[in-house]
Amino acid sequence: DADVTQTPRNRITKTGKRIMLECSQTKGHDRMYWYRQDPGLGLRLIYYSFDVKDINKGEISDGYSVSRQAQAKFSLSLESAIPNQTALYFCATSEPGDTGELFFGEGSRLTVL
Amino acid sequence: DAKTTQPNSMESNEEEPVHLPCNHSTISGTDYIHWYRQLPSQGPEYVIHGLTSNVNNRMASLAIAEDRKSSTLILHRATLRDAAVYYCIPRRSNYQLIWGAGTKLIIKP
């Protein structure tokens, strides 16, 4: 089983719908992240959490919210999806420290019509 | 934040060494240089990182210029499984990772 699991892997939805992407990890890491990737581009950070009570906005948090339900679970929500939120979303975890290796899930592809 | 410049794509023959360059002329003295790669339809995976000295691990070697304004990721013997997008990322802390578009490495059999 994968250390970082994302569900769903693929989702097609309509404009205005509420969407939740879920991430769970078995690495035992306190730090978790949500990234967005658009075609041909690198990843951009949406939100990050250094522990259950510490949640922070990344560079592109507008239109998104998150919930850290437990050390192992970190969910990303789109309250009212719009077409320009169509993208590939990645969850990641890491150990503490500035050089801790990031471990990524396999991604959730979201299409907003 | 430090910016990076990488070739959009590179080609190499299977079983030959590959040198992937990265320019990061605005890097600060405390920024580590990280490399990740992303295989098709997968999440990124860590390759290697370093600060000032050259580094080796089971996947690759990282050669860092003395002035730290550039670095080179070296795959000693490329295989078809090394075909991926390689990202060079100056990094001070996790949440300050700035990902560029990376270099798409094409391996020819």
Side-chain angles (χ1 to χ4, degrees), chain B residues 55-101:
Chain B
V55 184
N56 301 293
N57 67 19
R58 65 175 178 81
M59 289 180 69
S61 295
L62 178 60
I64 302 171
E66 192 170 341
D67 62 7
R68 291 190 8 99
K69 293 184 177 182
S70 65
S71 61
T72 301
L73 180 71
I74 303 165
L75 307 179
H76 294 286
R77 191 164 170 266
T79 70
L80 295 176
R81 290 176 296 177
D82 291 321
V85 178
Y86 287 78
Y87 298 96
C88 164
I89 307 167
R91 179 174 138 181
R92 186 172 301 166
S93 61
N94 281 329
Y95 60 94
Q96 291 182 0
L97 277 173
I98 305 297
W99 298 69

Side-chain angles (χ1 to χ4, degrees), chain A residues 31 33 35 37 40-43 45 48 50 90 94-95 97-102 104-106, chain B residues 32 34 36 38 41-46 49 87 91-101:
Chain A
R31 297 186 173 190
Y33 312 80
Y35 285 91
Q37 186 174 36
L41 301 179
L43 277 66
L45 183 63
Y48 61 100
F50 283 177
F90 288 101
S94 76
E95 294 178 341
D98 291 345
T99 61
E101 176 184 345
L102 286 166
F104 285 85
E106 293 188 340
Chain B
Y32 281 80
H34 287 249
Y36 281 75
Q38 187 173 17
S41 302
Q42 294 189 26
E45 64 175 350
Y46 169 83
H49 78 274
Y87 298 96
R91 179 174 138 181
R92 186 172 301 166
S93 61
N94 281 329
Y95 60 94
Q96 291 182 0
L97 277 173
I98 305 297
W99 298 69

Side-chain angles (χ1 to χ4, degrees), chain A residues 24-102:
Chain A
S24 63
Q25 52 112 347
T26 58
K27 301 290 291 183
H29 292 161
D30 286 327
R31 297 186 173 190
M32 297 187 73
Y33 312 80
W34 274 105
Y35 285 91
R36 166 180 173 158
Q37 186 174 36
D38 294 284
L41 301 179
L43 277 66
R44 291 183 291 169
L45 183 63
I46 306 172
Y47 271 94
Y48 61 100
S49 171
F50 283 177
D51 64 42
V52 175
K53 297 181 180 180
D54 180 23
I55 294 178
N56 305 280
K57 294 182 177 181
E59 61 178 305
I60 57 163
S61 60
D62 287 348
Y64 302 95
S65 63
V66 291
S67 173
R68 185 79 184 268
Q69 301 93 325
Q71 184 203 41
K73 296 185 181 295
F74 193 33
S75 299
L76 176 71
S77 294
L78 289 67
E79 296 300 327
S80 180
I82 56 178
N84 75 1
Q85 291 177 313
T86 293
L88 188 56
Y89 291 86
F90 288 101
C91 175
T93 74
S94 76
E95 294 178 341
D98 291 345
T99 61
E101 176 184 345
L102 286 166

